Amino acid sequence: MLAEALEHLVRGIVDHPDDVRVSSSSLRRGELLEVRVHPDDLGRVIGRSGRTAKALRTVVGALSDDGSVRVDVVDTDRR
């Protein structure tokens, strides 16, 4: 559920919504959500001084049952 919610939020921010991919994996300390976006959209997702990324982490943490969720933002390399 968290991955789908995060993907929906990120798709609303970026210019290339078809390139947004969110993968989820379980770690010992909680869940890891990895967001992959088009290289041109990386700045939009991170925001000034990381404000947008921090807001996304806050929302996903609030949606989480136990609160132990880590969100990483990665650009997709088109080489």
Side-chain angles (χ1 to χ4, degrees), residues 39-74:
D40 295 340
D41 293 328
L42 189 59
R44 284 183 165 275
V45 175
I46 294 174
R48 279 196 185 175
S49 300
R51 289 181 186 163
T52 305
K54 183 178 179 183
L56 289 170
R57 289 183 181 108
T58 301
V59 170
V60 170
L63 291 174
S64 173
D65 293 335
D66 57 358
S68 59
V69 177
R70 183 175 150 199
V71 177
D72 287 343
V73 179
V74 181

Side-chain angles (χ1 to χ4, degrees), residues 13-26:
I13 296 171
V14 298
D15 288 333
H16 302 92
D18 295 335
D19 292 339
V20 174
R21 301 286 179 260
V22 177
S23 60
S24 175
S25 59
S26 294

Side-chain angles (χ1 to χ4, degrees), residues 22-37:
V22 177
S23 60
S24 175
S25 59
S26 294
L27 303 175
R28 272 188 281 160
R29 297 163 82 182
E31 188 174 358
L32 170 67
L33 297 175
E34 190 173 78
V35 180
R36 295 189 177 273
V37 296

